[in-house]
Amino acid sequence: MRASIEVADIFRAAGPAYRVAHAGHLSLIQLKVMSAIEHCRTAALGGHVEACEDCGEWRIAYNSCRNRHCPKCQGAAARTWLAEREADLLPVGYFHVVFTLPAEVADIAFQNKALAYDLLFKAASETMLTIAADAKHLGVRIGITAVLHTWGSAMTHHPHVHMIVPGGGIAPGGKRWVSSRPAFLLPVRVLGKLFRRLFLARLMALHDAGRLSFFGSMAYLTERRAFLRHLSPVRKKRWVVYAKAPFAGPEAVLAYLSRYTHRVAISNSRLIAFDESGVTFRYKNYRRDGADRQQVMTLGPDEFIRRFLLHVLPRGFHRIRHYGMLAGSARKASLA
C-alpha cells in the first residue's frame, strides 16, 4: 500500500524551486537522483497494463527508477540481495560492530566522499582482520560484511560502517574453525586505537599527495600545517568502536540485514506530514532513553531536500563490501 506521504511528493512539489535556487551548486549525480525519485513509478518512465483473465479488471503498473537512493526501490533490491546471501550464513553466532568517524574527520570526508568513505571501509576492515588474526585475541581469519551509512536519524552527515561478523574464524592452515567467546568478539578499545592510527596515517598520506580537496570555510586546510592542527585533537580523542551482543541465530541476522543493507537517508514510513509548515518526520534522539528516544522534527522543504542530498554517493561507489573469508574469490572455499 502506498504511504500517505512520500519523499517523491516533497521532491515533486519543492524540487523545481530548489534546483533554481541552487543552480550551479548541485552535482550531476544529485540532479539525477532528484529526477529519478520524482519520476519513479509514474507515466514518465513508462509502464504496462495488467489484466485479470477471469474478471476482466485491469490496472496500469508504472516502471520503477531503480535508483539506489530511492526509498521506494530499495525494498525489492534488498530482498534480491538477501536471497543471495542466505546460503552464506554459518551456524554460529554473529556480532554487529560499528566504526564511526569523529565529527572533525567527518567534515573532511564530506568534501572528499569517494576517497574518505573508501578509506573508512579499508581502515575499519583492516583493523578487524588484524586484531582477529593476532594470537593474543582469536588468531584466526574472520569474515566481514560491511555496509556504509552516511546519516544520523535526523539526516545529518554522520558517516559510519556497520559490520556483521561471524563469531569465530578459520585457523592458520585453513583446516579448523575457532569460535569466539559466546558474548565477546574482540576488545573495542584495542580496535578503536588501531582504527584511529590507520585512518589518520592514510588520510595524511592522501593530503601529502595532494588528493584531498577543500572548499568554503575549510579551504584553509589545503595548507599542511593547518591540516595537522585540525587533526591534532582527534589524535588524542578516543575513537569509539561499538560492538553489540551477538544476534539470536541466522534468522535474526537476515532480519537485520534486510533493514540495513539497502536503507536510504530516510524511508517513506518515517514521514508524518508535508504542508505549509514544512516536512514533519520521526527520528531517534540517541541521547535519550526509553519512550523519549522517539521524537518528531519539522524541516522546511529546502532543508529537507538539502539533508537528503547530503547522502548521495559518488557514482559507482560500492556501499556493501565483503572482507576476509567472505571476500569474493575466497568465499565459496572458506564457507565450505
Side-chain angles (χ1 to χ4, degrees):
M1 180 174 292
R2 184 185 187 275
S4 57
I5 307 161
E6 297 182 347
V7 171
D9 298 324
I10 300 160
F11 274 52
R12 290 184 195 118
Y18 188 87
R19 288 186 187 87
V20 172
H22 299 275
H25 297 283
L26 295 172
S27 67
L28 179 60
I29 191 169
Q30 287 176 323
L31 291 170
K32 285 183 175 180
V33 167
M34 291 181 72
S35 178
I37 292 174
E38 289 166 1
H39 294 138
C40 187
R41 300 186 196 179
T42 68
L45 296 184
H48 56 276
V49 176
E50 298 174 339
C52 176
E53 294 180 348
D54 296 326
C55 69
E57 182 181 350
W58 60 277
R59 67 180 180 182
I60 297 174
Y62 294 119
N63 294 331
S64 301
C65 69
R66 298 186 180 182
N67 190 287
R68 61 175 170 170
H69 300 91
C70 175
K72 282 191 289 193
C73 287
Q74 290 311 293
R79 288 190 291 273
T80 301
W81 187 85
L82 283 170
E84 296 169 353
R85 297 280 82 78
E86 191 168 6
D88 295 346
L89 285 176
L90 295 168
V92 300
Y94 278 74
F95 290 82
H96 173 199
V97 184
V98 185
F99 286 80
T100 303
L101 292 180
E104 299 90 339
V105 179
D107 291 340
I108 295 169
F110 181 71
Q111 296 194 358
N112 298 273
K113 287 183 177 181
L115 288 172
Y117 293 166
D118 184 62
L119 179 52
L120 170 56
F121 268 119
K122 288 178 178 175
S125 61
E126 186 175 331
T127 294
M128 289 292 291
L129 294 171
T130 300
I131 301 303
D134 190 331
K136 292 188 293 185
H137 300 291
L138 281 174
V140 299
R141 183 167 178 77
I142 59 170
I144 301 167
T145 294
V147 183
L148 173 70
H149 284 186
T150 63
W151 55 85
S153 189
M155 293 197 297
T156 50
H157 187 240
H158 179 63
H160 54 287
V161 165
H162 293 265
M163 291 183 170
I164 306 300
V165 186
I170 299 173
K175 301 295 183 184
R176 187 168 59 94
W177 175 267
V178 177
S179 294
S180 67
R181 283 188 264 166
F184 180 83
L185 183 64
L186 296 167
V188 292
R189 283 185 177 270
V190 174
L191 293 172
K193 287 180 181 178
L194 180 56
F195 175 52
R196 178 182 63 192
R197 179 165 63 82
L198 290 175
F199 190 96
L200 290 178
R202 291 171 187 178
L203 187 67
M204 199 67 230
L206 288 172
H207 190 278
D208 289 343
R211 298 183 64 192
L212 299 180
S213 301
F214 300 99
F215 311 96
S217 62
M218 296 182 67
Y220 73 100
L221 293 181
T222 303
E223 203 273 318
R224 193 175 193 273
R225 286 187 180 179
F227 190 70
L228 285 170
R229 283 196 300 271
H230 181 80
L231 293 183
S232 181
V234 295
R235 292 184 187 280
K236 302 161 189 167
K237 180 185 289 187
R238 181 186 170 198
W239 287 34
V240 178
V241 177
Y242 179 64
K244 283 187 177 180
F247 293 97
E251 295 79 11
V253 177
L254 283 177
Y256 172 85
L257 286 173
S258 68
R259 294 196 304 272
Y260 273 78
T261 51
H262 292 71
R263 183 177 282 184
V264 296
I266 188 168
S267 62
N268 289 328
S269 62
R270 286 172 55 200
L271 299 176
I272 298 172
F274 174 40
D275 50 34
E276 61 279 357
S277 64
V279 183
T280 303
F281 61 94
R282 288 185 294 273
Y283 76 102
K284 289 181 181 177
N285 185 341
Y286 288 99
R287 294 179 180 177
R288 301 192 178 188
D289 296 319
D292 287 343
R293 175 166 286 189
Q294 289 285 349
Q295 298 195 346
V296 171
M297 175 181 292
T298 299
L299 298 174
D302 271 26
E303 177 61 12
F304 180 89
I305 293 175
R306 185 193 74 83
R307 290 196 190 189
F308 189 95
L309 295 179
L310 291 178
H311 310 292
V312 171
L313 293 173
R315 184 178 178 182
F317 189 90
H318 293 281
R319 63 184 298 264
I320 305 173
R321 304 186 185 187
H322 307 278
Y323 299 95
M325 68 177 186
L326 296 181
S329 59
R331 178 193 300 268
K332 287 187 178 179
S334 296
L335 290 171

